[in-house]
């Protein structure tokens, strides 16, 4: 389990992460979502032991990560732009990782390159961006690390390959209890794979919950309320995160369970009402708009 | 299949990433060890054949290559090659920290920074040591094949390899430190130059300020000069060690310290520094202050001395200009943003304050350097060398050596002389711009150099410019002391066997050093005459006339208990540890016996060259930068009595216009190469 307590990280005069407290349980896929510059990559780099936090603690299975060889053996970091040595082949990169990681599995590496149709003897410089991403994933999985930290790993992969990688993750989770931590902007991808999501915004954590539970607590309501007074009472009771009107049709993003919301809406005697679950993307937009990060503001 | 983690595998993987450094090092070692060795052998064999030395060829060659490898050119080339490899190895080894992607890869590995540093250090050591060891072995094999093998050669080769390794690692640690303190490759390279060069530069600037603003300043000593090179920069230290044969243990200790410092910096270096100019904020500001301060004082002294006037306004302008310029450059490098040139005002103010304090310290002589006079009881010994002798010695090393063994203790007369020198100098200043009375050499200024040893073991040297009339009495007293004459003319106490070859430099040029080398009888006659003549030395004899000649003699001073540390010197005849010191002995016109003995040996001598021996004269006037060449007999006869050799007349420089003559002189074989002369004023 990864436990982050009051984590703060500053770069010169900029605060990248501020007082983050987060727990990532074992055996689940943890999605790290956030606005641009929210600190997702910074958090992953701290988790992997590349960066050192200014304040707070990061513990993996109860031990601090920084300069801890034993703990770092259990963590593999796949950065947004993985570096490969000039003129190196996938096999040479594997040899490099194998020299530093006692659990590196060459057979797994050979097997994965065969399955993903990557030539392990071909110079990496001749690979496309997507192929390099695949190689980074293969190397990460071959390390045998318990925690796989992926920074925008699915970007650049074609849909078929995304599914293949997801399958690999799922297989490793079942077989050896892999815990992938995936930072991404692609919320639809995360929605399919993540069990739990952490939402970062401007260096702070907005929420961290199970995705299913999150979806049960946040809903979208479409309704038409003929009585203005009752509509006002309903809005006061619901405190919507987001309100959009199209003629008489009102679309609200609100917190609460489906039953609670149904009771409140019915009390307003609507001529039409519907309660829908939110997608992860809508949850993200709703939560960030609630704290003033609106698309309208960005576009002016 | 599982792979186990091991140092060997990691080392191999890390080393593979920079094999080009090893290849370069091997190439350099191949060229600088065996190839240069063979080239040297070829040249030496040619020299031997041309000169016809008495020693057997192999013995002479063995000694010559030994000397070159242990404390000569060959050793310097090898050391320089090692230093270059070390810098490249450090840049290559730590360049990964200047890229975010590479840093993610390196620091994402489950390997502690100490181990990473240790691996990089081992790789650098291998890059430097393996080619050097192989090169050393090649040289020894080649030497053995040529029959030149000796214990001395093995020792010299091993020492050269050790110099490579010790100073190579010191340079590597310094360059690594620069890379760790910075976050961009270019800034890292600049940082290496700064760390390698800032020490010697600051030391040279301090020396330059002392020379400029302290009118009694005199270069301190061989030790200080050596320390300037040895301990302020690993690169210069390497060259110094290779050239001087200095001990390596202090350098090895410094190397370990540098490595420890680099490791400490690496341990705390933030990974996010990749891409930034400087990795640490506070040290970056400290470095900015040092750079600005250095730039300002360098610019100040440049503008003060660049012009003829040496004016203070230009000095101040130089300080301000240098400070502003270096500050702007440093800020632009730090921020890559020209709009932020004059940010961090507090640091700028600190640099300005340091600059002002430094400039004032020297310009106003706040330490009282020129007026310093120790109390009588604290002085153990005073050595004095006045005027002409000072100018005869063509290097401060010789001068210091002479000073070191002319200490006469400290009696009341000597202390009174020291007091007088200090007081008169204060009153008169250095007189550097003052012309003598009526331009006549009746009361010209002479430099009087003193070396004062204190009871606490410390010592200092000063050079006071005095009117001749003010010191003639004290000089007469000095010449009357046997001990003093022994110091001026060490040959008085030496047997003829302690003298190697000698050459004579007079107004007619310098004799071939070989002319007298093997003519022991002629050497004996000249030495005997000199021992007799030097007893006639008086202030008057040196006041009115230029020296007739200077004898450059190779002396073995060890019987006098002096200069025994110079045993590595080998003369051209190949007699190591014997003729170990080249001494300059002045022959005054009054030394008639000596002059006769020299002329009897077939060497022309005289105060001035005869007109008949001159083919043409070219006169240079430095003030006007014009030249004029004369070949007609009438002009040559007028010029000849005004021509004196440069060394013999340098003491006159302060009463001369800056006129020089270059003359083609006739010798037995025709005309020799051009000889430079000072041209006395036509009175």
């Amino acid at each position: 389990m990864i436990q982050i307590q009051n984590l703060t990280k500053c770069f010169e005069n900029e605060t990248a992460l501020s007082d983050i407290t987060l727990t990532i349980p074992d055996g689940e896929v943890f999605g790290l979502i956030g606005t641009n510059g929210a600190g997702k990559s910074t958090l992953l780099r701290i988790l992997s032991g590349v960066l050192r936090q200014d304040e707070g603690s990061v513990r993996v299975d109860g031990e601090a990560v920084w300069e801890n060889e034993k703990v770092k053996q259990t963590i593999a970091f796949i950065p947004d732009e993985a570096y490969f040595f000039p003129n190196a082949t996938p096999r040479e990169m594997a040899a490099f990782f194998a020299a530093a990681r006692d659990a590196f599995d060459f057979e797994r590496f050979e097997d994965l390159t065969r399955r993903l149709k990557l030539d392990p003897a071909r110079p990496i410089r001749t690979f496309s961006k997507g192929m390099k991403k695949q190689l980074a994933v293969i190397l990460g999985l071959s390390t045998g690390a318990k925690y796989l930290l992926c920074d925008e790993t699915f970007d650049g992969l074609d849909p078929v390959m995304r599914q293949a990688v997801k399958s690999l993750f799922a297989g490793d989770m079942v077989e050896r209890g892999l815990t992938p931590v995936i930072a991404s902007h692609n919320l639809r991808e995360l929605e399919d794979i993540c069990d739990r999501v952490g939402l970062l915004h401007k260096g702070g954590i907005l929420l961290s919950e199970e995705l299913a539970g999150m979806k049960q607590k946040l809903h979208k309501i479409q309704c038409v309320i003929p009585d203005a007074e009752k509509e006002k009472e309903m809005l006061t009771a619901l405190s919507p995160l987001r309100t959009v009107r199209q003629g008489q049709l009102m679309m609200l993003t609100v917190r609460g369970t489906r039953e609670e919301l149904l009771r409140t809406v019915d009390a307003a005697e609507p001529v039409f009402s519907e309660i829908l679950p939110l997608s992860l993307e809508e949850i993200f937009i709703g939560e960030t708009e609630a704290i003033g990060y609106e698309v309208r503001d960005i576009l002016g | 299949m599982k792979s186990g983690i091991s140092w060997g595998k990691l080392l191999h993987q890390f080393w593979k990433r920079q094999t080009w450094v090893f290849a370069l090092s091997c190439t350099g070692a191949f060229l600088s060890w065996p190839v240069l060795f063979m080239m040297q052998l070829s040249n030496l064999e040619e020299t031997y054949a041309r000169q016809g030395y008495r020693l057997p060829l192999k013995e002479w060659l063995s000694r010559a290559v030994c000397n070159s490898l242990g404390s000569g050119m060959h050793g310097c080339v090898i050391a320089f090659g090692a230093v270059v490899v070390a810098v490249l190895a450090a840049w290559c080894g730590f360049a990964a920290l200047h890229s975010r992607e590479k840093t993610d890869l390196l620091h994402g590995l489950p390997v502690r920074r100490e181990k990473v540093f240790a691996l990089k250090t081992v790789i650098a050591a291998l890059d430097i040591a393996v080619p050097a060891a192989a090169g050393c072995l090649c040289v020894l094999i080649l030497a053995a094949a040529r029959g030149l093998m000796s214990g001395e050669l093995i020792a010299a080769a091993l020492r050269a390899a050790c110099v490579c390794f010790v100073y190579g690692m010191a340079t590597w640690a310094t360059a690594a430190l620069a890379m760790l303190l910075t976050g961009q490759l270019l800034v890292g390279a600049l940082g290496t130059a700064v760390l390698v060069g800032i020490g010697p530069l600051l030391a040279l600037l301090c020396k330059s300020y002392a020379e400029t603003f302290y009118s009694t300043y005199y270069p301190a000593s061989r030790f200080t000069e050596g320390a300037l090179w040895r301990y302020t920069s690993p690169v210069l230290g390497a060259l110094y060690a290779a050239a001087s044969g200095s001990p390596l243990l202090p350098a090895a200790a410094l190397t370990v310290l540098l490595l420890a410092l680099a490791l400490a910096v690496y341990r705390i270096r933030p990974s996010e520094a990749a891409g930034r100019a400087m990795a640490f904020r506070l040290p970056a500001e400290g470095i900015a202050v040092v750079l600005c301060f250095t730039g300002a004082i360098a610019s100040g002294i440049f503008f003060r001395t660049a012009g003829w006037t040496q004016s203070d306004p230009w000095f101040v302008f130089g300080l301000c200009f240098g400070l502003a310029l270096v500050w702007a450059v440093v800020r632009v490098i730090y921020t890559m943003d020209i709009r932020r040139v004059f940010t961090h005002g507090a640091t700028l103010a600190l640099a300005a304050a340091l600059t002002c304090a430094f400039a004032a310290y020297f310009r106003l002589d706040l330490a009282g350097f020129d007026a310093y006079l120790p109390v009588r009881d604290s002085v153990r010994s005073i050595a004095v060398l006045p005027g002409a002798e000072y100018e005869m010695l063509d290097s401060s090393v010789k001068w210091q050596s002479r000073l070191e063994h002319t200490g006469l203790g400290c009696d009341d007369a000597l202390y009174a002389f020291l007091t007088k020198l200090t007081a008169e100098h204060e009153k008169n200043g250095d007189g550097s711009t003052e012309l003598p009375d009526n331009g006549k050499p009746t009361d010209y200024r002479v430099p009087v150099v003193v070396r004062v040893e204190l009871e606490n073991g410390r010592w200092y040297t000063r050079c006071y410019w005095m009117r001749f009339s003010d010191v003639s009495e004290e000089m007469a007293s000095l010449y009357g002391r046997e001990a003093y004459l022994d110091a001026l003319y060490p040959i008085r106490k030496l047997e003829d066997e302690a003298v190697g070859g000698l050459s004579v430099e007079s107004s007619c040029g310098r004799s071939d050093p070989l002319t007298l080398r093997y003519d022991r009888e002629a050497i004996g006659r000249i030495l005997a005459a000199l021992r007799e003549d030097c007893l006639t030395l008086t202030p008057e004899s040196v006041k009115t006339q230029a020296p007739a000649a200077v004898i450059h003699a190779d002396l073995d001073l060890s019987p006098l208990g002096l200069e025994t540390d110079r045993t590595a010197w080998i003369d051209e005849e190949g007699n190591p540890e014997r003729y170990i010191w080249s001494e300059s002995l002045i022959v005054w016109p009054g030394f008639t016996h000596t002059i006769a003995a020299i002329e009897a040996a077939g060497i022309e001598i005289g105060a001035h060259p005869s007109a008949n021996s001159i083919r043409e004269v070219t006169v240079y006037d430095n003030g006007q930068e014009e030249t004029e060449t004369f070949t007609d007999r009438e002009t040559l006869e007028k010029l000849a009595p005004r021509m004196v050799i440069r060394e013999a007349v340098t003491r006159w420089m302060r009463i001369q216009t800056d006129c020089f003559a270059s003359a083609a002189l006739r010798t037995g074989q025709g005309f020799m190469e051009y000889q430079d002369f000072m041209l006395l004023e036509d009175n």
Side-chain angles (χ1 to χ4, degrees), chain A residues 9 12 45 50 67 69 72 98-100 102, chain B residues 1 3 5 104 107 112-113 115 271-272 276:
Chain A
K9 178 69 185 173
E12 295 186 338
R45 293 177 85 208
V50 172
E67 290 292 86
E69 288 183 354
K72 285 175 82 172
D102 52 13
Chain B
M1 185 175 62
S3 101
I5 180 171
D104 284 348
H107 288 167
R112 290 174 63 84
R113 291 188 177 202
K115 278 189 187 171
S271 296
E272 61 267 29
R276 297 201 310 235

PDB file of all heavy atoms in Angstrom, chain A residues 9 12 45 50 67 69 72 98-100 102, chain B residues 1 3 5 104 107 112-113 115 271-272 276:
ATOM      1  N   LYS A   9       5.563  19.720  -2.310  1.00  0.00           N
ATOM      2  CA  LYS A   9       6.750  19.826  -3.146  1.00  0.00           C
ATOM      3  C   LYS A   9       6.731  21.167  -3.879  1.00  0.00           C
ATOM      4  O   LYS A   9       5.738  21.509  -4.528  1.00  0.00           O
ATOM      5  CB  LYS A   9       6.770  18.678  -4.167  1.00  0.00           C
ATOM      6  CG  LYS A   9       7.951  18.721  -5.124  1.00  0.00           C
ATOM      7  CD  LYS A   9       9.252  18.422  -4.413  1.00  0.00           C
ATOM      8  CE  LYS A   9      10.457  18.588  -5.344  1.00  0.00           C
ATOM      9  NZ  LYS A   9      11.719  18.447  -4.609  1.00  0.00           N
ATOM     10  N   GLU A  12      11.445  25.869  -7.008  1.00  0.00           N
ATOM     11  CA  GLU A  12      11.809  27.276  -6.856  1.00  0.00           C
ATOM     12  C   GLU A  12      10.672  28.001  -6.132  1.00  0.00           C
ATOM     13  O   GLU A  12      10.365  27.667  -5.008  1.00  0.00           O
ATOM     14  CB  GLU A  12      12.153  27.890  -8.211  1.00  0.00           C
ATOM     15  CG  GLU A  12      13.401  27.223  -8.793  1.00  0.00           C
ATOM     16  CD  GLU A  12      13.914  27.855 -10.061  1.00  0.00           C
ATOM     17  OE1 GLU A  12      13.142  28.542 -10.752  1.00  0.00           O
ATOM     18  OE2 GLU A  12      15.095  27.639 -10.359  1.00  0.00           O
ATOM     19  N   ARG A  45       6.727  11.068  -9.851  1.00  0.00           N
ATOM     20  CA  ARG A  45       8.189  11.096  -9.736  1.00  0.00           C
ATOM     21  C   ARG A  45       8.618  11.022  -8.266  1.00  0.00           C
ATOM     22  O   ARG A  45       9.679  10.482  -7.953  1.00  0.00           O
ATOM     23  CB  ARG A  45       8.758  12.350 -10.396  1.00  0.00           C
ATOM     24  CG  ARG A  45       8.546  12.336 -11.926  1.00  0.00           C
ATOM     25  CD  ARG A  45       9.030  13.603 -12.562  1.00  0.00           C
ATOM     26  NE  ARG A  45      10.441  13.562 -12.847  1.00  0.00           N
ATOM     27  CZ  ARG A  45      11.229  14.621 -12.907  1.00  0.00           C
ATOM     28  NH1 ARG A  45      10.719  15.830 -12.684  1.00  0.00           N
ATOM     29  NH2 ARG A  45      12.509  14.510 -13.172  1.00  0.00           N
ATOM     30  N   VAL A  50      12.364   9.446  -7.685  1.00  0.00           N
ATOM     31  CA  VAL A  50      13.201  10.332  -8.507  1.00  0.00           C
ATOM     32  C   VAL A  50      13.328  11.682  -7.814  1.00  0.00           C
ATOM     33  O   VAL A  50      14.421  12.248  -7.716  1.00  0.00           O
ATOM     34  CB  VAL A  50      12.596  10.503  -9.918  1.00  0.00           C
ATOM     35  CG1 VAL A  50      13.349  11.572 -10.691  1.00  0.00           C
ATOM     36  CG2 VAL A  50      12.614   9.179 -10.664  1.00  0.00           C
ATOM     37  N   GLU A  67      15.706   7.071  -1.645  1.00  0.00           N
ATOM     38  CA  GLU A  67      16.991   6.394  -1.504  1.00  0.00           C
ATOM     39  C   GLU A  67      16.877   5.053  -0.779  1.00  0.00           C
ATOM     40  O   GLU A  67      17.819   4.633  -0.094  1.00  0.00           O
ATOM     41  CB  GLU A  67      18.002   7.304  -0.792  1.00  0.00           C
ATOM     42  CG  GLU A  67      18.456   8.501  -1.632  1.00  0.00           C
ATOM     43  CD  GLU A  67      19.305   8.107  -2.831  1.00  0.00           C
ATOM     44  OE1 GLU A  67      18.707   7.804  -3.881  1.00  0.00           O
ATOM     45  OE2 GLU A  67      20.536   8.086  -2.711  1.00  0.00           O
ATOM     46  N   GLU A  69      16.633   1.365  -1.567  1.00  0.00           N
ATOM     47  CA  GLU A  69      16.778   0.409  -2.676  1.00  0.00           C
ATOM     48  C   GLU A  69      15.730  -0.698  -2.604  1.00  0.00           C
ATOM     49  O   GLU A  69      15.163  -1.112  -3.619  1.00  0.00           O
ATOM     50  CB  GLU A  69      18.171  -0.205  -2.658  1.00  0.00           C
ATOM     51  CG  GLU A  69      19.248   0.766  -3.090  1.00  0.00           C
ATOM     52  CD  GLU A  69      20.621   0.126  -3.136  1.00  0.00           C
ATOM     53  OE1 GLU A  69      20.749  -1.038  -2.720  1.00  0.00           O
ATOM     54  OE2 GLU A  69      21.564   0.802  -3.582  1.00  0.00           O
ATOM     55  N   LYS A  72      12.420   0.646  -3.683  1.00  0.00           N
ATOM     56  CA  LYS A  72      12.421   1.017  -5.111  1.00  0.00           C
ATOM     57  C   LYS A  72      12.449  -0.207  -6.024  1.00  0.00           C
ATOM     58  O   LYS A  72      12.081  -0.125  -7.187  1.00  0.00           O
ATOM     59  CB  LYS A  72      13.604   1.954  -5.407  1.00  0.00           C
ATOM     60  CG  LYS A  72      13.340   3.369  -4.885  1.00  0.00           C
ATOM     61  CD  LYS A  72      14.532   4.279  -5.041  1.00  0.00           C
ATOM     62  CE  LYS A  72      14.614   4.842  -6.433  1.00  0.00           C
ATOM     63  NZ  LYS A  72      15.653   5.885  -6.562  1.00  0.00           N
ATOM     64  N   ALA A  98      17.933  -5.076 -16.083  1.00  0.00           N
ATOM     65  CA  ALA A  98      18.183  -6.333 -15.358  1.00  0.00           C
ATOM     66  C   ALA A  98      19.381  -6.191 -14.416  1.00  0.00           C
ATOM     67  O   ALA A  98      19.420  -6.826 -13.362  1.00  0.00           O
ATOM     68  CB  ALA A  98      18.430  -7.456 -16.346  1.00  0.00           C
ATOM     69  N   ALA A  99      20.347  -5.335 -14.816  1.00  0.00           N
ATOM     70  CA  ALA A  99      21.535  -5.156 -13.974  1.00  0.00           C
ATOM     71  C   ALA A  99      21.187  -4.473 -12.658  1.00  0.00           C
ATOM     72  O   ALA A  99      21.880  -4.637 -11.660  1.00  0.00           O
ATOM     73  CB  ALA A  99      22.581  -4.341 -14.728  1.00  0.00           C
ATOM     74  N   ALA A 100      20.117  -3.659 -12.682  1.00  0.00           N
ATOM     75  CA  ALA A 100      19.774  -2.896 -11.485  1.00  0.00           C
ATOM     76  C   ALA A 100      18.594  -3.485 -10.725  1.00  0.00           C
ATOM     77  O   ALA A 100      18.359  -3.118  -9.570  1.00  0.00           O
ATOM     78  CB  ALA A 100      19.457  -1.454 -11.865  1.00  0.00           C
ATOM     79  N   ASP A 102      16.674  -6.812  -9.315  1.00  0.00           N
ATOM     80  CA  ASP A 102      16.898  -8.232  -9.076  1.00  0.00           C
ATOM     81  C   ASP A 102      15.735  -9.106  -9.529  1.00  0.00           C
ATOM     82  O   ASP A 102      15.886 -10.318  -9.659  1.00  0.00           O
ATOM     83  CB  ASP A 102      17.227  -8.485  -7.602  1.00  0.00           C
ATOM     84  CG  ASP A 102      16.201  -7.876  -6.678  1.00  0.00           C
ATOM     85  OD1 ASP A 102      15.129  -7.480  -7.173  1.00  0.00           O
ATOM     86  OD2 ASP A 102      16.475  -7.805  -5.470  1.00  0.00           O
TER      87      ASP A 102
ATOM     88  N   MET B   1      13.446 -17.017 -15.977  1.00  0.00           N
ATOM     89  CA  MET B   1      14.865 -16.721 -15.730  1.00  0.00           C
ATOM     90  C   MET B   1      14.987 -15.397 -14.968  1.00  0.00           C
ATOM     91  O   MET B   1      14.445 -14.389 -15.370  1.00  0.00           O
ATOM     92  CB  MET B   1      15.599 -16.596 -17.068  1.00  0.00           C
ATOM     93  CG  MET B   1      17.079 -16.410 -16.936  1.00  0.00           C
ATOM     94  SD  MET B   1      17.878 -16.429 -18.535  1.00  0.00           S
ATOM     95  CE  MET B   1      17.144 -15.010 -19.338  1.00  0.00           C
ATOM     96  N   SER B   3      17.389 -12.447 -13.094  1.00  0.00           N
ATOM     97  CA  SER B   3      18.742 -11.899 -13.158  1.00  0.00           C
ATOM     98  C   SER B   3      19.113 -11.304 -11.819  1.00  0.00           C
ATOM     99  O   SER B   3      18.340 -10.562 -11.231  1.00  0.00           O
ATOM    100  CB  SER B   3      18.827 -10.832 -14.244  1.00  0.00           C
ATOM    101  OG  SER B   3      18.777  -9.578 -13.699  1.00  0.00           O
ATOM    102  N   ILE B   5      21.218  -8.875  -9.204  1.00  0.00           N
ATOM    103  CA  ILE B   5      21.857  -7.555  -9.278  1.00  0.00           C
ATOM    104  C   ILE B   5      23.277  -7.663  -8.754  1.00  0.00           C
ATOM    105  O   ILE B   5      23.529  -8.311  -7.751  1.00  0.00           O
ATOM    106  CB  ILE B   5      21.036  -6.522  -8.485  1.00  0.00           C
ATOM    107  CG1 ILE B   5      21.688  -5.155  -8.564  1.00  0.00           C
ATOM    108  CG2 ILE B   5      20.853  -6.943  -7.061  1.00  0.00           C
ATOM    109  CD1 ILE B   5      20.801  -4.081  -7.998  1.00  0.00           C
ATOM    110  N   ASP B 104      15.062  10.692 -14.889  1.00  0.00           N
ATOM    111  CA  ASP B 104      13.999   9.750 -14.524  1.00  0.00           C
ATOM    112  C   ASP B 104      14.489   8.317 -14.633  1.00  0.00           C
ATOM    113  O   ASP B 104      14.185   7.472 -13.782  1.00  0.00           O
ATOM    114  CB  ASP B 104      12.783   9.951 -15.438  1.00  0.00           C
ATOM    115  CG  ASP B 104      11.992  11.197 -15.056  1.00  0.00           C
ATOM    116  OD1 ASP B 104      12.258  11.750 -13.972  1.00  0.00           O
ATOM    117  OD2 ASP B 104      11.130  11.621 -15.847  1.00  0.00           O
ATOM    118  N   HIS B 107      17.591   7.884 -11.787  1.00  0.00           N
ATOM    119  CA  HIS B 107      17.176   7.916 -10.387  1.00  0.00           C
ATOM    120  C   HIS B 107      15.931   7.082 -10.118  1.00  0.00           C
ATOM    121  O   HIS B 107      15.553   6.908  -8.962  1.00  0.00           O
ATOM    122  CB  HIS B 107      16.971   9.364  -9.943  1.00  0.00           C
ATOM    123  CG  HIS B 107      18.263  10.102  -9.784  1.00  0.00           C
ATOM    124  ND1 HIS B 107      18.339  11.453  -9.642  1.00  0.00           N
ATOM    125  CD2 HIS B 107      19.539   9.643  -9.757  1.00  0.00           C
ATOM    126  CE1 HIS B 107      19.610  11.808  -9.535  1.00  0.00           C
ATOM    127  NE2 HIS B 107      20.351  10.729  -9.613  1.00  0.00           N
ATOM    128  N   ARG B 112      21.139   3.361  -4.915  1.00  0.00           N
ATOM    129  CA  ARG B 112      21.375   4.578  -4.134  1.00  0.00           C
ATOM    130  C   ARG B 112      22.369   5.481  -4.853  1.00  0.00           C
ATOM    131  O   ARG B 112      23.195   5.037  -5.649  1.00  0.00           O
ATOM    132  CB  ARG B 112      21.946   4.218  -2.753  1.00  0.00           C
ATOM    133  CG  ARG B 112      20.935   3.551  -1.843  1.00  0.00           C
ATOM    134  CD  ARG B 112      21.605   3.096  -0.558  1.00  0.00           C
ATOM    135  NE  ARG B 112      22.113   4.227   0.189  1.00  0.00           N
ATOM    136  CZ  ARG B 112      21.367   4.971   1.023  1.00  0.00           C
ATOM    137  NH1 ARG B 112      20.098   4.675   1.192  1.00  0.00           N
ATOM    138  NH2 ARG B 112      21.893   5.981   1.669  1.00  0.00           N
ATOM    139  N   ARG B 113      22.273   6.774  -4.547  1.00  0.00           N
ATOM    140  CA  ARG B 113      23.150   7.744  -5.221  1.00  0.00           C
ATOM    141  C   ARG B 113      24.621   7.481  -4.911  1.00  0.00           C
ATOM    142  O   ARG B 113      25.484   7.707  -5.753  1.00  0.00           O
ATOM    143  CB  ARG B 113      22.774   9.164  -4.802  1.00  0.00           C
ATOM    144  CG  ARG B 113      21.429   9.592  -5.355  1.00  0.00           C
ATOM    145  CD  ARG B 113      21.171  11.045  -5.089  1.00  0.00           C
ATOM    146  NE  ARG B 113      19.900  11.448  -5.687  1.00  0.00           N
ATOM    147  CZ  ARG B 113      19.582  12.680  -5.999  1.00  0.00           C
ATOM    148  NH1 ARG B 113      20.437  13.660  -5.778  1.00  0.00           N
ATOM    149  NH2 ARG B 113      18.413  12.978  -6.515  1.00  0.00           N
ATOM    150  N   LYS B 115      25.993   4.694  -4.622  1.00  0.00           N
ATOM    151  CA  LYS B 115      26.461   3.637  -5.513  1.00  0.00           C
ATOM    152  C   LYS B 115      26.648   4.170  -6.931  1.00  0.00           C
ATOM    153  O   LYS B 115      27.624   3.816  -7.605  1.00  0.00           O
ATOM    154  CB  LYS B 115      25.450   2.487  -5.526  1.00  0.00           C
ATOM    155  CG  LYS B 115      25.591   1.536  -4.369  1.00  0.00           C
ATOM    156  CD  LYS B 115      24.710   0.327  -4.557  1.00  0.00           C
ATOM    157  CE  LYS B 115      24.721  -0.547  -3.313  1.00  0.00           C
ATOM    158  NZ  LYS B 115      23.723  -1.618  -3.378  1.00  0.00           N
ATOM    159  N   SER B 271      16.799  16.355  -8.060  1.00  0.00           N
ATOM    160  CA  SER B 271      16.696  15.834  -9.426  1.00  0.00           C
ATOM    161  C   SER B 271      16.027  16.837 -10.358  1.00  0.00           C
ATOM    162  O   SER B 271      16.277  16.831 -11.564  1.00  0.00           O
ATOM    163  CB  SER B 271      15.890  14.538  -9.425  1.00  0.00           C
ATOM    164  OG  SER B 271      16.549  13.551  -8.694  1.00  0.00           O
ATOM    165  N   GLU B 272      15.164  17.689  -9.790  1.00  0.00           N
ATOM    166  CA  GLU B 272      14.441  18.645 -10.638  1.00  0.00           C
ATOM    167  C   GLU B 272      15.361  19.747 -11.181  1.00  0.00           C
ATOM    168  O   GLU B 272      14.913  20.611 -11.939  1.00  0.00           O
ATOM    169  CB  GLU B 272      13.267  19.273  -9.883  1.00  0.00           C
ATOM    170  CG  GLU B 272      13.645  20.062  -8.634  1.00  0.00           C
ATOM    171  CD  GLU B 272      13.577  19.193  -7.387  1.00  0.00           C
ATOM    172  OE1 GLU B 272      13.788  17.968  -7.503  1.00  0.00           O
ATOM    173  OE2 GLU B 272      13.342  19.750  -6.299  1.00  0.00           O
ATOM    174  N   ARG B 276      17.674  23.357 -15.400  1.00  0.00           N
ATOM    175  CA  ARG B 276      17.935  24.687 -14.834  1.00  0.00           C
ATOM    176  C   ARG B 276      19.417  24.994 -14.971  1.00  0.00           C
ATOM    177  O   ARG B 276      20.230  24.092 -15.053  1.00  0.00           O
ATOM    178  CB  ARG B 276      17.567  24.723 -13.342  1.00  0.00           C
ATOM    179  CG  ARG B 276      16.116  24.499 -13.054  1.00  0.00           C
ATOM    180  CD  ARG B 276      15.728  25.032 -11.673  1.00  0.00           C
ATOM    181  NE  ARG B 276      16.570  24.605 -10.582  1.00  0.00           N
ATOM    182  CZ  ARG B 276      16.106  23.997  -9.491  1.00  0.00           C
ATOM    183  NH1 ARG B 276      14.818  23.732  -9.383  1.00  0.00           N
ATOM    184  NH2 ARG B 276      16.911  23.666  -8.511  1.00  0.00           N
TER     185      ARG B 276
END
